[in-house]
Structure formats: C-alpha cells, structure tokens
C-alpha cells in the first residue's frame, strides 16, 4: 500500500539494526498517524503559532541588544581601568585585565556562533515552510477543482486523475528510492493504478479490464484509506500522494459508471457491462489480483529475500509483521514462521475479495450509494488528517518551542554570569 500505520519500537527480533533505524525514522513514524479531531482547537492553534513566533523574535532581539550594550560597557570600563591604573601597574592588575579581555572575547565568540546557528536553522525552516505552503496550496486547489469538475464537467475527472498521477507517482518513486522504501512501490495499489491508466487510455473497450479495475479500485484501494489510515494533510506531499492513489481511483470509476455523460461513447466497455455479474466480477478481479500476487512473490519475496531479511529493505509484509500493535501484526506473530508468508498472501486475497463485495452487489447498480461510499471514505481521511494536525503537528511544535526556550534561557544565564564577573 502507499502509506503505513505507525510501528512501535523493536527489540532484538526478526530484523537487524538497519531495519530498526528505518522504523524509528521520525518522518516514517508520522506517515499515517490518526487521532481524535477537534476542529475548534485547530483554529485556536493556527492563530497562535504566528503570535508565538513574533514574541520569540522580539525576545531574541532584546537579548542581542543587551549583549551589544554589555560589550560596549565592558569595553568602556576596561579603557577607564587602564587609564586610571596607568600609573599603578602591578602584576595583579595586568592579570585581571587580561583575564577579563579573554572572557569577553570568548563570550563574543559564543554569542556569534549561536546567532549563526539560529540564522541557519531559521533559513532551513523557511525553506521547509515554503515547500509545505506550496503543497498545501496545490492540495487545496486540487480538491476544489475536483469538486468543480465533478459538478460541472465530470468528463474531465479521468484526465485530472491521469495528470496528477503522472506528476505524483514519479515523485514518490524518487523520494522512496532515496529513503530505501521503494519495495513498497510493488504493492497492489500501484499495480492497480497503472492498470487503471492502461484501461482509460489504451483499452477503453475491454470489458474484462474495466470490471477488474472497477472492482479493485472500489475494493482494495478504497478500503486502504481505512486500513492504512490515510490522512488528508494538505501541507504533507507524501500524505497527499497516498490519499490520491487510494481515493481518486474509485472516484474516477464511479464517475465513468454513473456520472459521465454518454460514457459508452468514450468507454465502449460499458455497452457490454450494463449489469455486473457478481461471479464474473470476482473472477476477473481475482485473476488480475493473482497475476500481481505471483509477480510480487517471485520478484520481491523470493529474489530479494536476503535484503529483506537483513533489514536493508522492507515491505508491507515485513512491516506489518513487526507492528505488534496492529491486529494483522499480532495474528502474523502467532503463526509459525514457516507459514507466515503463505498466511499473509492468503489473508490478502480474502481481504481483496471481501472489500469488493459492496462494489459488486451495490455500488455498480446505485449512483446514490456510490456517492455515499465516496463520502464515507473521504470523511475518514479528513478525520485522520484532523487528528494529525491536532496531535502530531501540535506536539512536534511544542517540542521545538521548548528546545528554543531552553536555548534562549541558557544564553541569558551565560550573559548574566559574564556581566556579574566583570569589575565595577
């Protein structure tokens, strides 16, 4: 799948240290967090972030001004002492002046280094914030344009699906390859997404491919929003990509089936599938699923077994196996090791068939229940996204704010100590 549930810390077990470092990665740990949503608190939080930043900036400026004034005063005092004691130069006075000058120089160097460090952090944070603002902007605009297209020009939905996918999927491949997460790209959701594009642009007259894509998009892909806790977090490009993969596919095929004007002219397969036979639907989608499962087993679980077992790479199976908090991880752990892969493969197949049943028996026949289905899936992602903003993002900001407060407090204490040790 495209996104993963959070995993607990591991002790010595199935995987080696490299995998343990992978699962403890802070970015990876936040990919699919989901918590309770408090919409009113979000408004309060967003309005106070800028206020806290301004207060901290003012406090930092005051500390800089005090430090500069302290330097000037100390320089003047040193000059006065030198003039007063010009006629009474003794050994103790020279030692005192030298020690004082050394202390002041050391303090200046520390403050300069701290300011440089803060400026570098600030610039880095600005770059991150700019990237997140761009992601937020395009995420919100994509949602708005999708809603407008659905209401005004539904025949453009499959085009938007393709354009967005052509941009996000290569970007995800690059990012996951950089993080050594690219074995997740062999999961079913990417396989189905590619098949959807193949049907839409190359074989729109293939009834078998249409049925398989429709069933899998409304089954395994759509249900993954709940199973893998996808979140609508506009500023996080990775979460937006995961949600796009799992929710835009059922949206596109719902539009083609129920809301596309004169759909049979653009997608001739609809002429042959005016009514979906349940057994035919499960058989066709099952065959397409079996092809993916065989390829996945051969090229990932067999050919790359050594890398996965050593912890250099991870897959959905290995991740879930080590997620002791999830029901799937607990069930896999209870199975003898030699039967775990077979149990996982069989469980995935049963899961795929069960999640297709609503599409086969209800959604294909009813535009109303298809719309309700999409609203429920989307509502789950919004709920998860609200939990992320309230809990994960809020706690991360709180930790960073506390670290900054300690740093400022330490600087103030050092400045006060240095001032107290000076003469006069």
């Amino acid at each position: 799948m495209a996104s993963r549930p959070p995993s607990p810390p591991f002790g010595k077990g199935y995987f080696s240290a490299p995998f343990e470092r992978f699962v403890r990665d802070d970015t990876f740990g936040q990919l699919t967090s989901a918590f309770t949503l408090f919409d009113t608190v979000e408004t309060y939080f967003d309005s106070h972030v800028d206020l806290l930043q301004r207060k901290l900036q003012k406090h930092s400026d005051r500390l800089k001004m005090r430090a500069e004034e302290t330097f000037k005063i100390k320089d003047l005092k040193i000059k006065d002492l030198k003039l007063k004691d010009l006629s009474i130069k003794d050994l103790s006075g020279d030692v005192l002046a030298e020690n004082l000058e050394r202390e002041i120089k050391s303090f200046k160097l520390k403050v300069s280094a701290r300011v440089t460090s803060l400026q570098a952090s600030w610039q880095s944070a600005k770059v991150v914030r700019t990237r997140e603002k761009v992601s937020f902007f395009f995420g919100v605009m994509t949602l708005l344009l999708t809603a407008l297209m659905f209401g005004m020009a539904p025949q453009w939905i499959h085009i938007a699906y393709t354009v967005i996918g052509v941009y996000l999927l290569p970007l995800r491949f690059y990012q996951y390859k950089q993080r050594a997460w690219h074995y997740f790209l062999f999961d079913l959701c990417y396989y189905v997404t590619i098949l959807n594009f193949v049907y839409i642009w190359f074989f729109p007259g293939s009834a078998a491919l249409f049925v398989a894509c429709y069933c899998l998009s409304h089954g395994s892909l759509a249900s993954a929003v709940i199973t893998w806790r996808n979140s609508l977090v506009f500023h996080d490009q990775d979460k937006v990509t995961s949600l796009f993969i799992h929710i835009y596919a059922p949206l596109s095929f719902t539009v083609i089936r129920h809301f596309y004007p004169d759909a049979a002219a653009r997608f001739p397969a609809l002429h042959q599938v005016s009514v979906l036979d349940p057994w035919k639907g499960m058989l066709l989608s099952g065959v397409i699923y079996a092809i993916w499962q065989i390829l996945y087993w051969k090229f990932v679980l067999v050919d790359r077994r050594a890398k996965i077992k050593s912890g250099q790479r991870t897959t959905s199976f290995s991740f879930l196996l080590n997620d002791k908090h999830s029901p799937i991880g607990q069930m896999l752990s209870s199975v003898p090791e030699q039967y775990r892969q077979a149990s996982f493969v069989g469980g995935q197949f049963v899961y795929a068939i069960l999640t297709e049943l609503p599409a086969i028996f209800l959604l294909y026949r009813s535009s109303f229940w298809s719309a309700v289905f999409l609203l429920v899936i989307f509502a789950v992602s919004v709920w998860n996204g609200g939990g992320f903003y309230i809990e994960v993002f809020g706690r991360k900001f709180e930790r960073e704010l506390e670290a900054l407060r300690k740093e400022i407090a330490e600087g103030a204490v050092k400045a006060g100590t240095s001032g107290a040790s000076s003469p006069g």
Side-chain angles (χ1 to χ4, degrees):
M1 298 300 175
S3 54
R4 299 158 300 284
S7 177
F10 300 104
K12 294 181 178 179
Y14 184 76
F15 291 100
S16 62
F19 182 81
E20 296 176 6
R21 290 196 300 272
F22 166 79
V23 297
R24 284 197 291 265
D25 188 283
D26 182 63
T27 303
F28 185 81
Q30 295 180 7
L31 285 177
T32 54
S33 301
F35 302 90
T36 306
L37 173 63
F38 300 103
D39 292 329
T40 56
V41 180
E42 180 175 4
T43 303
Y44 174 85
F45 172 76
D46 291 337
S47 64
H48 281 67
V49 170
D50 291 334
L51 179 60
L52 288 173
Q53 290 178 341
R54 290 196 296 270
K55 288 182 178 180
L56 290 174
Q57 185 64 33
K58 290 180 181 178
H59 187 55
S60 176
D61 293 338
R62 286 199 298 269
L63 286 177
K64 291 178 182 178
M65 292 177 63
R66 290 179 183 176
E68 292 175 358
E69 291 175 357
T70 302
F71 297 151
K72 292 179 181 179
I73 292 172
K74 289 181 178 179
D75 289 339
L76 291 174
K77 287 181 178 180
I78 292 171
K79 292 179 180 178
D80 291 341
L81 286 173
K82 287 182 177 180
L83 291 173
K84 289 180 181 180
D85 298 339
L86 186 60
S87 59
I88 314 174
K89 282 189 177 179
D90 55 16
L91 182 61
S92 60
D94 293 339
V95 173
L96 178 62
E98 290 177 2
N99 290 339
L100 184 59
E101 289 180 1
R102 190 182 302 112
E103 182 181 355
I104 292 173
K105 288 181 180 179
S106 176
F107 182 75
K108 286 183 177 180
L109 290 174
K110 289 180 181 179
V111 171
S112 177
R114 189 176 299 278
V115 170
T116 302
S117 176
L118 287 174
Q119 287 177 346
S121 300
W122 177 258
Q123 293 297 329
S124 177
K126 285 178 66 176
V127 172
V128 172
R129 283 199 302 274
T130 300
R131 184 171 63 247
E132 291 179 344
K133 287 179 181 178
V134 171
S135 178
F136 186 92
F137 173 80
F138 282 105
V140 174
M141 294 305 297
T142 298
L143 178 60
L144 176 61
L145 290 175
T146 299
L148 289 175
M149 282 188 292
F150 181 80
M152 300 176 64
Q155 65 271 20
W156 283 85
I157 289 291
H158 71 284
I159 299 176
Y161 178 41
T162 305
V163 171
I164 299 172
V166 167
Y167 169 72
L168 290 179
L169 292 180
L171 185 60
R172 163 151 289 191
F173 173 79
Y174 172 77
Q175 292 174 341
Y176 274 27
K177 181 67 175 178
Q178 294 294 107
R179 301 174 185 177
W181 296 353
H182 51 284
Y183 281 16
F184 281 101
L185 301 178
F186 293 104
D187 283 352
L188 179 65
C189 53
Y190 300 98
Y191 172 78
V192 175
T193 299
I194 294 173
L195 281 181
N196 290 344
F197 293 151
V198 170
Y199 166 76
I200 290 172
W201 297 107
F202 297 102
F203 302 104
S206 173
L209 188 56
F210 169 74
V211 170
C213 290
Y214 181 90
C215 294
L216 289 170
S217 295
H218 285 82
S220 297
L221 261 67
S223 62
V225 175
I226 300 174
T227 306
W228 291 91
R229 293 179 296 212
N230 289 166
S231 305
L232 182 63
V233 180
F234 287 118
H235 79 274
D236 191 322
Q237 182 262 326
D238 189 77
K239 291 183 181 296
V240 169
T241 301
S242 297
L243 186 61
F244 163 79
I245 291 172
H246 292 135
I247 206 170
Y248 226 102
L251 170 65
S252 298
F253 279 89
T254 293
V255 169
I256 291 173
R257 171 68 183 102
H258 294 294
F259 302 102
Y260 197 106
D262 194 17
R266 172 61 179 82
F267 301 100
L270 294 175
H271 284 301
Q272 308 173 46
V273 198
S274 57
V275 177
L276 179 59
D277 179 73
W279 295 108
K280 182 180 179 181
M282 286 189 286
L283 176 63
L284 291 174
S285 59
V287 169
I288 296 294
Y289 178 91
I291 294 174
W292 164 79
Q293 188 65 82
I294 294 171
L295 294 174
Y296 186 87
W297 176 81
K298 174 64 172 63
F299 290 106
V300 178
L301 299 181
V302 175
D303 293 351
R304 292 163 178 80
R305 180 188 299 271
K307 287 186 176 181
I308 296 172
K309 200 164 186 177
S310 67
Q312 298 177 38
R313 300 290 185 271
T314 189
T315 63
S316 297
F317 167 70
S318 57
F319 184 84
L320 289 171
L321 178 63
N322 286 272
D323 188 359
K324 308 303 181 183
H325 288 179
S326 70
I328 299 177
Q330 293 173 359
M331 286 189 292
L332 287 175
S333 299
S334 63
V335 176
E337 185 175 353
Q338 62 270 26
Y339 301 116
R340 284 176 182 171
Q341 282 191 3
S343 300
F344 181 70
V345 170
Q348 275 192 315
F349 180 76
V350 173
Y351 171 82
I353 296 298
L354 290 178
T355 54
E356 291 175 8
L357 295 181
I360 292 174
F361 289 99
L362 181 62
L363 304 183
Y364 196 86
R365 302 177 183 178
S366 172
S367 59
F368 172 79
W369 287 112
S370 295
V372 171
F373 175 79
L374 290 175
L375 283 174
V376 170
I377 295 298
F378 186 73
V380 171
S381 71
V382 174
W383 183 275
N384 295 341
F388 177 87
Y389 279 114
I390 297 300
E391 295 290 339
V392 176
F393 192 70
R395 289 177 180 175
K396 179 180 179 181
F397 176 78
E398 184 180 357
R399 290 195 302 268
E400 293 176 352
L401 183 61
E402 186 62 28
L404 184 59
R405 284 174 178 169
K406 290 180 180 179
E407 188 172 4
I408 293 175
E410 290 174 0
V413 170
K414 291 181 179 179
T417 304
S418 177
S421 64
S422 61

